Amino acid sequence: MPENKKNSHKILFASSEAYPLIKTGGLGDVSGSLPAALKGLQQDVRLVLPAYREILEQKGKVKTIAQISLPLGRARVLERLLPGTRLKVWLVDCPSCFDRPGNPYQGSNGLPWPDNAERFALFCQAISYLALNQAGLDWQPDLVHCNDWQTGLAPALLSLHKTRPATLFTIHNLAYQGLFPETTFFALDLPWSFWSPHALEFYGKLSFMKGGLVFADRINTVSPTYAEEIQTPEFGCGLDGLLRHRRNKLSGILNGVDKNWNPARDPALAKNYSLRDINGKQDNKKALQQELGLPNSGKVALLAFIGRLVEQKGIDLLLEILPEIVKLPAQVAFLGSGEKHYEQGLQQLAQRYPEQIAVQVGFDEALAHRIEAGADIFLMPSRFEPCGLNQMYSLHYGTPPIVHRVGGLADTVVDSTPATLQNGTATGVVFDRADSSVLLEAVKRATLLYGQQNGYWKPLQQQGMRQDFSWKRSAERYLELYEQTLSEKAPPSPT
Ligand code: ADP
């Protein structure tokens, strides 16, 4: 056997979204990149997703490889490749659960689908079947890697089997736990033993997330700092006690940045540019100002925000200080969707300051790329941030970010202090408290650095562009974690 094949494992990677087939946020980015990067490290990986209508409508060869009869219903397993890769994707096709228009998690009214518990419980049953090689596919994974609450019941279900693969559960955001009423627990016909605070019960409710946190052999999250933070009451969302209890099994690995986030090759940009030739960024700024209806000005700093418009992202802090930011002077571009009152608040300010504030409500992948390239400074004042991708994209695009010192933001951005500017390690501006006046100070600090053009700005941009956030690097860490999980899992006792 060749040396590099020695540690090849069969990995079943389970997620509720994966770019480019379906994406609502960072989980989609990770699940589109990490399995492919693991395959690049000679691992035998299958990605399993629900067969949403949006996926079924896409181009690509799809074949039915199995029919499975699960406790909650029948499903077909379809196989296709993840576009742009050789990675096999298995789609759990249960039309009553997944063949419907729109978002994977909510209807057009913005409310969660009323049958989310049933939908994702069925998905978890399918993951468990595939993991136990019960679908007749002659493929038995060594390890199942589950991601976020939608896959949380799978480690719990697998724990009922003696000869099961090892399980890893990754927390991408502890705030979304998949909580449902007690009646749902009984409707799902789960084993009685699971109705306990030591299993799936969370203060009288059914918690899908706890299925992963209690039953997986190992748990990880998407940055080392967030792995520590979630063990505290401030960030633990009521689960910090459990996470402290399992701290010996808990670690953090930073996400990577996908290859398509590269300013030198990005087809969405007005002009490509790179670390060595950063001047093309000016053309992107001009094009972006034009696109967003902002006056062309090379000198005024253009700040940008991209993301979900929810309290987590600190959008309320930004709304509070926008009238101050525009006085600096500065322009600010927003791309996002989320809670209606934030959307309306931003749109009102854009009407009040049409020369300085531009707001695009919606989800627009190509525009996100053009904003990363055209903006001078990126805004990411999240109250908490498990990893965060946009600050890493902006570092790659020479757009120094302003970030709150939490989670992955703390792990990826080096604050500009006299010392770090001097020794060339600074990559952005970091502030310490989720407070609008503290954020405003950080914005002033960043625009001052930008405006003085005192020789520090370009090195700051370039130092950010030099950071290695390749998925290969993160995938290597995951592989180490898989090895550790496999070695710790006790072999099944002989029957
Ligand atoms: P989260 O997963 O909490 O939403 P992340 O920063 O980890 O935040 O990832 C968000 C991902 O979704 C990034 O790839 C970001 O560019 C993208 N994104 C968020 N909102 C939008 C939007 N309105 N349009 C385009 N891309 C968006």
Side-chain angles (χ1 to χ4, degrees), residues 284-302:
N284 287 291
K285 179 171 179 181
K286 217 165 151 191
L288 182 64
Q289 285 169 324
Q290 200 150 352
E291 179 175 356
L292 299 178
L294 294 170
N296 267 157
S297 164
K299 288 222 176 85
V300 174
L302 173 53

Side-chain angles (χ1 to χ4, degrees), residues 42-61:
Q42 282 76 49
Q43 303 304 300
D44 183 5
V45 190
R46 304 282 187 277
L47 168 62
V48 56
L49 297 172
Y52 305 111
R53 179 180 296 177
E54 198 175 321
I55 298 185
L56 295 175
E57 284 173 351
Q58 290 175 38
K59 276 192 279 181
K61 221 162 86 190

Side-chain angles (χ1 to χ4, degrees), residues 47-102:
L47 168 62
V48 56
L49 297 172
Y52 305 111
R53 179 180 296 177
E54 198 175 321
I55 298 185
L56 295 175
E57 284 173 351
Q58 290 175 38
K59 276 192 279 181
K61 221 162 86 190
V62 180
K63 61 179 178 190
T64 303
I65 54 168
Q67 308 260 6
I68 49 180
S69 197
L70 302 164
L72 284 171
R74 294 174 65 79
R76 288 186 308 160
V77 181
L78 313 177
E79 184 177 277
R80 62 162 295 153
L81 294 179
L82 188 71
T85 72
R86 305 294 305 156
L87 181 79
K88 280 185 185 164
V89 183
W90 286 348
L91 301 168
V92 176
D93 183 27
C94 174
S96 62
C97 291
F98 304 121
D99 186 7
R100 55 181 77 174

Side-chain angles (χ1 to χ4, degrees), residues 17 23-30 172-173 176 222 255 261 305-310 312-313 334-338 360-369 372 378 380 382 384-393 409:
E17 52 183 278
K23 163 177 160 177
T24 70
L27 172 64
D29 287 312
V30 174
H172 296 262
N173 193 336
Y176 299 95
V222 287
N255 289 333
W261 286 94
F305 172 98
I306 302 170
R308 290 179 296 117
L309 302 177
V310 294
Q312 179 202 333
K313 300 291 177 183
F334 290 87
L335 168 61
S337 60
Q360 296 282 325
V361 170
F363 195 94
D364 187 335
E365 185 81 25
L367 179 57
H369 284 244
E372 287 289 6
F378 197 80
M380 206 142 164
S382 309
F384 67 94
E385 195 57 79
C387 176
L389 291 167
N390 275 309
Q391 86 282 10
M392 297 201 270
Y393 301 153
L409 302 175

Side-chain angles (χ1 to χ4, degrees), residues 304-368:
F305 172 98
I306 302 170
R308 290 179 296 117
L309 302 177
V310 294
E311 198 189 339
Q312 179 202 333
K313 300 291 177 183
I315 189 69
D316 53 322
L317 304 177
L318 274 174
L319 270 165
E320 223 179 300
I321 58 167
L322 269 177
E324 296 300 315
I325 295 180
V326 295
K327 284 189 209 152
L328 288 174
Q331 296 176 335
V332 197
F334 290 87
L335 168 61
S337 60
E339 292 174 22
K340 291 284 167 277
H341 59 115
Y342 291 135
E343 294 181 357
Q344 285 159 2
L346 285 173
Q347 280 163 333
Q348 278 161 10
L349 282 167
Q351 275 168 9
R352 205 160 116 202
Y353 303 103
E355 307 261 286
Q356 287 169 286
I357 299 178
V359 176
Q360 296 282 325
V361 170
F363 195 94
D364 187 335
E365 185 81 25
L367 179 57

Side-chain angles (χ1 to χ4, degrees), residues 187-407:
L188 294 178
D189 211 12
L190 291 162
W192 275 90
S193 60
F194 285 172
W195 189 251
S196 146
H198 301 293
L200 304 184
E201 187 195 340
F202 182 68
Y203 299 104
K205 289 193 165 170
L206 160 65
S207 162
F208 272 50
M209 176 72 98
K210 279 189 74 183
L213 302 187
V214 172
F215 291 99
D217 295 316
R218 268 200 161 263
I219 311 163
N220 86 307
T221 181
V222 287
S223 69
T225 295
Y226 192 58
E228 294 298 321
E229 287 171 344
I230 56 177
Q231 297 178 50
T232 67
E234 191 186 349
F235 294 96
C237 304
L239 291 162
D240 45 295
L242 169 57
L243 290 162
R244 282 195 301 278
H245 176 69
R246 297 216 66 200
R247 66 180 174 276
N248 294 337
K249 301 288 179 188
L250 171 63
S251 55
I253 299 177
L254 272 178
N255 289 333
V257 167
D258 194 76
K259 289 186 291 295
N260 66 18
W261 286 94
N262 175 358
R265 297 210 187 143
D266 191 333
L269 307 195
K271 177 139 194 222
N272 290 114
Y273 61 96
S274 65
L275 177 59
R276 257 174 266 132
D277 178 17
I278 204 172
N279 292 335
K281 204 166 155 55
Q282 272 306 322
D283 297 287
N284 287 291
K285 179 171 179 181
K286 217 165 151 191
L288 182 64
Q289 285 169 324
Q290 200 150 352
E291 179 175 356
L292 299 178
L294 294 170
N296 267 157
S297 164
K299 288 222 176 85
V300 174
L302 173 53
L303 285 75
F305 172 98
I306 302 170
R308 290 179 296 117
L309 302 177
V310 294
E311 198 189 339
Q312 179 202 333
K313 300 291 177 183
I315 189 69
D316 53 322
L317 304 177
L318 274 174
L319 270 165
E320 223 179 300
I321 58 167
L322 269 177
E324 296 300 315
I325 295 180
V326 295
K327 284 189 209 152
L328 288 174
Q331 296 176 335
V332 197
F334 290 87
L335 168 61
S337 60
E339 292 174 22
K340 291 284 167 277
H341 59 115
Y342 291 135
E343 294 181 357
Q344 285 159 2
L346 285 173
Q347 280 163 333
Q348 278 161 10
L349 282 167
Q351 275 168 9
R352 205 160 116 202
Y353 303 103
E355 307 261 286
Q356 287 169 286
I357 299 178
V359 176
Q360 296 282 325
V361 170
F363 195 94
D364 187 335
E365 185 81 25
L367 179 57
H369 284 244
R370 292 196 292 276
I371 291 178
E372 287 289 6
D376 296 305
I377 297 168
F378 197 80
L379 290 159
M380 206 142 164
S382 309
R383 287 197 158 71
F384 67 94
E385 195 57 79
C387 176
L389 291 167
N390 275 309
Q391 86 282 10
M392 297 201 270
Y393 301 153
S394 53
L395 290 169
H396 267 205
Y397 279 62
T399 311
I402 298 174
V403 303
H404 182 203
R405 199 188 302 279
V406 284

